Amino acid sequence: MTGPKLRRVVGALAEASGMRDAVLNELVRVGDAGLLGEVLRLTGDVATLQVFEETSGLALEEPVLRSKQPLSVQLGPGLLGAVIDGIGRPLQALAAAGGDFIAPGVDASTLDPTTRWDFSPVVTVGQQVRAGDVLGTVLEKGLVHRILVPLGKEGTIERVASGAVRTDEPVAWLLDGPTLHLWQRWPVRRTRPARARLASTEPLLTGQRIFDVLFPIAEGGTVAVPGGFGTGKTVIEQSLAKYAQADVVVYVGCGERGNEMAEVLHEFGALVDPRSGRPVLERTVLVVNTSNMPVAARESSVYLGLTIAEYFRDQGYRAAVMADSLSRWAEALREIGSRLQEMPGEEGYPTYLASRAARLHERAGRVQCLGAPERTGSVTLFSAVSPPGGDFSEPVTQACLRVGGAVWALDPALAHQRQFPAVDWNASYSLYAEGAEAWFAERVDRRWGETRSRLLELLQRDGELREIAAVVGPEALEDHDRLLLAAAALVRELVLGQSAFDPNDAYSSPQKSFRLARAAIDFHDAGRAALKGGSSFAELDVGRVRQALAAARDAAAADAEAAFLKLDEALRALGRTP
Amino acid sequence: MTTLARTYLGARAAAGPLVYLAGTQRARLGEWVTLRTAGQPTLRGQVIDAGRDVTVVQVLEDTLGLGPAAVEVTLTGELASVVVGKELLGRALSGAGDPRDGLPPPIGEALRPLWGAPINPVRRVPPSDFIETGVSAIDGMNTLVRGQKLPVFSGPGLPALELAATIVESARAPRGEPFAVVFVAIGITERETRTFLERFERSGALERSVLYVNQAQDPTIERLLAPRAGLACAEHLAFVHGLHVLVVMADITHYCDALREVGAAREEVPGRRGYPGYMYTDLASLFERAGVVRGKPGSVTQLPVLTMPDDDITHPIPDLTGYITEGQVVLSRDLFRRGVSPPIDVLPSLSRLMNAGIGKDRTVPEHRKWADQLYSVYARGREARQMVAIVGESGLSAADRRALELAEGFEKGLVHQAGLRRTLAQTLEAGWRLLDELPREDLLKLSDAQLEPRKAQREAAARRRAEAKPP
């Protein structure tokens, strides 16, 4: 009766003796129940373990089993539409085995071993293959899932399967070598390699006007979305997951609400992706660790999500990761660090918070993939941050701001006015704006860049004027200032304001976004001309323009043209005094 | 999972609520412990740190008079659990589940672990059943749905428990379905408890309720157990008996203070304002125990009440709570002083599940837009009110003046109810009456079609405005 045994259990941590040969980050099975855990620290023959499942009930002297492998995830067909927990177990299978509540110690492989896939090989017998080469494809929910030669494998194809192949059956045999499967394993904490990293210049369309027009995100870029509670972070992440132009979306609900995840499942299943005509859920992989699920699995869930996204990137797809939220990930680090009695840094967070956050963000990017045929793919990372008390100076927000290529700062004051998305245009920015402008100018309208600068200028001036108006009252302002306030109000409320729940406006094409934005600028210009021509502000029919702009925004696709014509009329009428 | 009970004489040390044992065998995390000292009442505790060298037991009751040398400690081999069952309805229990009503201890139907397992997210049904609370600021503007966790953020002295009682009274059984209430008192005063229970008794809801009472004078550590005992019971009633259970927990602030006390006793590295770094996870383990489960008729809805120290919504307790719960109902001292009852400030209030519970087939199709419109004009009116203090009413634009007027009317005519219950239809009508007074250009959140049914009222209002205007 030797072998590793538990010598201490506290919170999500356990210590085991008899672990002399273990290595850091090795996966272990803890206790009689066989809970999943990972080696965090080794001192002599004692290993400190973080346990990914509920530890209450673990007793001293229970055995610990070593796996001699790091925490890894199974990657292959069957991921799309799947709902898995922070350590890669499919929640449906857990429910089938353990009922409505998650019981510790239940095990299930990420991909169902018995599913059959229709495999079409692209390699032939005798062909040399190397890591990253496409062996063949299976069609998974409308996506051509490319089966890749895993890293570390190469050789000559001796035999290759065709037609129906079970997940647990080999798909190709190498000469004097190993067999290859439809799936491969990858350690979640390790970045998947690529041939070369490429620059991120093209915008990834989000369908949200304030982002596409003012603060665009590039394919392969990173955005931090900081915002206090109730500022609409989750709604934004969900809108992005639904409408962003990605081929595959990995939604990581990290420390999220259970009901919210149920809603995501329900909604994504019902919502149809306009490009493929299939439910949005079918291009989505959901990684779920609700706030009451074990804290160690919360820390791993983000890496798991990134690994899955990288796997689709390596097939040549645009993958997007929605991490909601990185604050919970950081808190998990803090909780584990504090149990390990590490010397705390700022606000109790471990000193390695910033470096871990930076490394995590750097897993996003556009790459030239390994293997043949040549292809590029990308991982774009959207990370929500939940600063305590809405205070952006706290360590997690700051760590994310330092590495994010764009920041969409959410403002509770805007949320209280029900201005959604509640993005504070003064505090937000995008380092991708310049590259995106050129792209939009070429494809949508050459005035794109000018319109964007005019909008920003208008909002800037609006902020200043409203401060003055708060002191002297708006009636005391001069006419051209009141006109500017009216134009800025159009921009704020009707152009940037977009309802995620309005079927006609939840998604806005770049063309529509541009036309609405331009109308507000045109209103300002036409108004200025009218004032110059001797009209007074009171004589301008601002109400008509507002109504026409609102109607154009909310019109169904079929009525949009007519609504925009009416808007043009209202704008033209502005200059003419009756 | 059970191990036999082991008894040891003497502990290595005792400090505050913690007792440190040496040389225990096969101690189990979360194991239930009893501590006996001759001539003293038996104490109970739980293993919170199991170790070969030292095992730490957190004692539930007051450790006054406990001597580590003479104490007889028994590790029971069982995990902490509570008796649950339908027979608990109508009973008053302590935070640890002992009778407080002079009746014998309940036998119940089952033992349920205090630390409940998380509901598997794929087994959850997104909550969408509208609960009519009779409170306009909630029904109209921040709708509550079954399976939601919607806390009341209160300030010292604000009538949060009265509001909770009102909701409990009217929220029961909208369609005559079986319901139950679990009330968990956490460290609140005798007076607060009485206020709530008296309201409750009058409405006859008491026999459909289970009370877990830990008052201010009761042991602090028991505050950590009381909500878990209540939730274990609620889950049993909901998912075994199919009842719709509303869990009221007051006051979460006392719960967090107890958590901080234990953290400090264990010499943990403190987080913000001395609260432990794991407070988010800990609170989530309470609040996430709400919801609706696929294929089960019942539901658990939570109405936690918390007091924001110094009315500060950025304090860690309301802050972390807001990140976990599905919205919040915020009480305002300003409205309370101006006699608005209930003093709900709708601007910082929010119900995240509102959209799922309203609209066609649930309330009325235009509910969302109606609420958005009121919100936006009310927010503008509130801004205008601040401006009046500086520039006077004459300095406002006409639209700001209209918004200001609506804000007054909104607080007096919609939020204020003075104890009278309003049906949803009455709430909507009250809101429409305010909106009728505004010209079309102020109502951009509403479509022409949505305004059509109000045509007659709007025209009458416009005529009144025209007549009132000096020629």
Side-chain angles (χ1 to χ4, degrees), chain A residues 5-11 17 32-33 54-62 83 91-92 94-96 99-104 227-234 254-263 265-266 288 290-295 298 328 331 334-335 338-339 341-342 344 347-348 385-390 415-420 466 469-476 482 493-494 499 501-502 542-543 546-547 550 553-554, chain B residues 1 3 24-30 48-55 79 112 115 117-127 141-142 147-149 153 235 239 266-272 276-281 284-285 288-294 296 313-314 318-320 322-328 346-350 352-353 355 368-369 372 375-376 379 383 387 390-391 394-398 400-401 440-441 444-445 448:
Chain A
K5 286 197 186 327
L6 285 177
R7 48 169 271 160
R8 188 168 178 219
V9 189
V10 53
S17 56
D32 294 335
E54 177 55 48
T55 50
S56 108
L58 278 180
L60 298 182
E61 313 309 330
E62 285 186 16
V83 187
L91 287 174
Q92 297 285 6
L94 292 193
D100 297 334
F101 293 86
I102 297 178
F229 67 83
T231 49
K233 262 188 320 295
T234 301
C254 174
E256 263 301 307
R257 304 174 180 89
N259 279 336
E260 226 154 56
M261 294 324 295
E263 193 194 313
L265 272 176
H266 179 78
V288 176
T290 58
S291 55
N292 57 340
M293 282 157 80
V295 69
R298 188 167 317 153
R328 307 293 161 239
E331 280 162 15
R334 174 168 72 182
E335 201 166 323
S338 120
R339 296 265 195 220
Q341 299 196 309
E342 290 171 344
E347 295 208 14
V385 183
S386 326
H416 289 172
Q417 293 161 25
R418 296 301 188 263
Q419 158 98 30
F420 288 116
R466 280 202 287 165
V471 181
V472 301
E475 297 293 298
R482 293 177 63 190
E493 292 162 30
L494 299 175
S499 166
F501 305 105
D502 185 328
V542 181
R546 278 184 73 95
Q547 278 176 45
R553 179 188 70 165
D554 298 335
Chain B
M1 284 261 275
T3 316
T24 55
Q25 279 174 354
R26 296 182 65 92
R28 196 181 280 282
L29 191 67
I48 54 170
D49 182 346
R52 264 185 209 161
D53 306 328
V54 179
T55 288
L79 293 186
R112 236 180 137 90
W115 266 256
I119 299 178
N120 188 327
V122 299
R123 297 297 300 163
R124 281 181 183 267
V125 181
M141 312 292 287
N142 294 291
Q148 184 173 13
K149 37 198 182 287
F153 286 11
E235 281 169 350
F239 303 130
R266 297 187 63 191
E267 299 177 12
E268 291 168 343
V269 183
R272 268 203 307 158
Y278 48 80
M279 193 157 88
Y280 177 84
T281 307
S285 74
E288 272 297 321
R289 289 170 82 172
V292 187
V293 171
R294 205 168 293 280
K296 301 268 166 80
I313 199 167
T314 67
D319 191 52
L320 294 181
Y323 277 120
I324 305 164
T325 54
E326 282 131 357
Q328 65 276 339
V346 300
L347 293 187
S349 299
L350 171 76
R352 289 171 189 272
L353 301 182
N355 288 331
R368 178 77 258 170
K369 294 285 178 184
D372 282 350
Y375 261 118
S376 100
E383 254 177 52
M387 229 190 281
I390 307 169
V391 299
S394 58
L396 295 181
S397 70
D400 282 338
R401 269 201 296 274
R440 183 71 183 93
E441 59 181 284
L444 287 187
K445 306 233 179 236
D448 288 335

Side-chain angles (χ1 to χ4, degrees), chain B residues 204-283:
Chain B
L206 211 52
E207 68 221 42
R208 307 287 300 154
S209 313
V210 190
L211 312 174
Y212 289 88
V213 182
N214 169 283
Q215 288 182 342
Q217 76 269 19
D218 295 328
T220 314
I221 305 302
E222 202 187 84
R223 286 174 201 157
L224 301 178
L225 258 63
R228 295 193 162 84
L231 287 165
C233 180
E235 281 169 350
H236 182 81
L237 294 175
F239 303 130
V240 175
H241 291 290
L243 303 179
H244 292 289
V245 189
L246 194 61
V247 184
V248 179
M249 300 188 283
D251 182 320
I252 294 297
T253 303
H254 298 312
Y255 173 87
C256 294
D257 286 346
L259 204 62
R260 176 166 68 175
E261 207 175 311
V262 175
R266 297 187 63 191
E267 299 177 12
E268 291 168 343
V269 183
R272 268 203 307 158
R273 301 231 186 165
Y275 292 98
Y278 48 80
M279 193 157 88
Y280 177 84
T281 307
D282 190 279
L283 285 174

Side-chain angles (χ1 to χ4, degrees), chain B residues 83-103:
Chain B
V83 170
V84 293
K86 247 184 159 169
E87 74 165 273
L88 266 66
L89 290 170
R91 297 290 308 262
L93 308 161
S94 77
D98 301 322
R100 271 182 82 115
D101 47 12
L103 297 173

Side-chain angles (χ1 to χ4, degrees), chain A residues 21-245:
Chain A
D21 307 325
V23 295
L24 288 177
N25 294 101
E26 181 175 337
L27 200 68
V28 288
R29 293 271 173 192
V30 182
D32 294 335
L35 310 182
L36 271 178
E38 185 183 24
V39 177
L40 279 191
R41 183 185 277 176
L42 288 161
T43 325
D45 84 330
V46 174
T48 306
L49 316 168
Q50 69 170 339
V51 185
F52 295 119
E53 300 180 66
E54 177 55 48
T55 50
S56 108
L58 278 180
L60 298 182
E61 313 309 330
E62 285 186 16
V64 172
L65 273 177
R66 292 182 45 204
S67 73
K68 305 188 178 171
Q69 273 184 28
L71 175 66
S72 58
V73 60
Q74 206 183 4
L75 300 165
L79 281 173
L80 294 179
V83 187
I84 57 182
D85 72 0
I87 44 178
R89 298 180 301 180
L91 287 174
Q92 297 285 6
L94 292 193
D100 297 334
F101 293 86
I102 297 178
V106 184
D107 198 15
S109 66
T110 308
L111 305 174
D112 178 5
T114 62
T115 310
R116 281 176 189 283
W117 296 95
D118 193 17
F119 178 72
S120 318
V122 299
V123 292
T124 48
V125 172
Q127 190 177 328
Q128 278 285 331
V129 292
R130 283 186 306 171
D133 284 357
V134 177
L135 279 175
T137 60
V138 304
L139 191 65
E140 182 186 9
K141 300 187 168 141
L143 182 110
V144 177
H145 195 123
R146 304 193 174 106
I147 309 300
L148 309 177
V149 178
L151 212 77
K153 300 275 170 74
E154 61 178 2
T156 311
I157 298 281
E158 187 189 28
R159 207 176 117 205
V160 60
S162 178
V165 179
R166 263 169 61 128
T167 305
D168 58 356
E169 288 170 354
V171 72
W173 291 257
L174 298 182
L175 208 60
D176 306 323
T179 51
L180 304 179
H181 288 80
L182 287 172
W183 55 271
Q184 49 178 291
R185 274 197 170 278
W186 189 262
V188 300
R189 296 185 197 282
R190 197 162 288 166
T191 309
R192 281 175 66 87
R195 180 170 301 155
R197 290 180 67 106
L198 306 171
S200 296
T201 44
E202 289 199 359
L204 184 90
L205 295 180
T206 63
Q208 311 299 306
R209 279 187 293 277
I210 189 160
F211 306 138
D212 288 346
V213 178
L214 291 188
F215 310 112
I217 162 83
E219 190 192 323
T222 56
V223 196
V225 190
F229 67 83
T231 49
K233 262 188 320 295
T234 301
V235 174
I236 288 176
E237 294 260 315
Q238 291 183 8
S239 290
L240 292 171
K242 289 178 201 164
Y243 302 114
Q245 294 224 311

Side-chain angles (χ1 to χ4, degrees), chain A residues 329-510:
Chain A
W329 165 82
E331 280 162 15
L333 280 185
R334 174 168 72 182
E335 201 166 323
I336 296 156
S338 120
R339 296 265 195 220
L340 284 170
Q341 299 196 309
E342 290 171 344
M343 182 68 79
E346 213 180 333
E347 295 208 14
Y349 286 102
T351 47
Y352 45 80
L353 169 69
S355 63
R356 292 251 177 113
R359 237 177 25 221
L360 188 153
H361 278 83
E362 282 300 284
R363 288 181 76 167
R366 210 162 70 85
V367 302
Q368 177 90 46
C369 308
L370 280 179
E374 269 199 23
R375 56 199 187 271
T376 60
S378 63
V379 173
T380 309
L381 173 64
F382 299 86
S383 47
V385 183
S386 326
D391 169 17
F392 286 7
S393 70
E394 60 93 34
V396 186
T397 311
Q398 287 303 315
C400 291
L401 292 193
R402 275 207 295 274
V403 288
V407 171
W408 300 340
L410 304 183
D411 178 13
L414 293 175
H416 289 172
Q417 293 161 25
R418 296 301 188 263
Q419 158 98 30
F420 288 116
V423 177
D424 177 355
W425 38 82
N426 294 315
S428 303
Y429 60 82
S430 165
L431 303 178
Y432 311 111
E434 218 170 294
E437 264 174 27
W439 190 92
F440 282 119
E442 200 174 297
R443 284 167 184 78
V444 182
D445 195 294
R446 60 187 167 70
R447 291 170 299 169
W448 186 282
E450 185 230 330
T451 307
R452 176 172 184 271
S453 335
R454 288 279 306 272
L455 287 179
L456 287 170
E457 193 191 314
L458 201 58
L459 291 168
Q460 170 75 34
R461 197 64 195 110
D462 175 57
E464 294 162 13
L465 275 178
R466 280 202 287 165
E467 267 174 39
I468 299 172
V471 181
V472 301
E475 297 293 298
L477 293 179
E478 291 186 34
D479 270 9
H480 62 264
D481 285 339
R482 293 177 63 190
L483 172 71
L484 189 141
L485 286 180
L490 290 183
V491 173
R492 284 186 279 118
E493 292 162 30
L494 299 175
V495 180
L496 303 181
Q498 187 172 356
S499 166
F501 305 105
D502 185 328
N504 295 334
D505 201 37
Y507 172 82
S508 178
S509 69

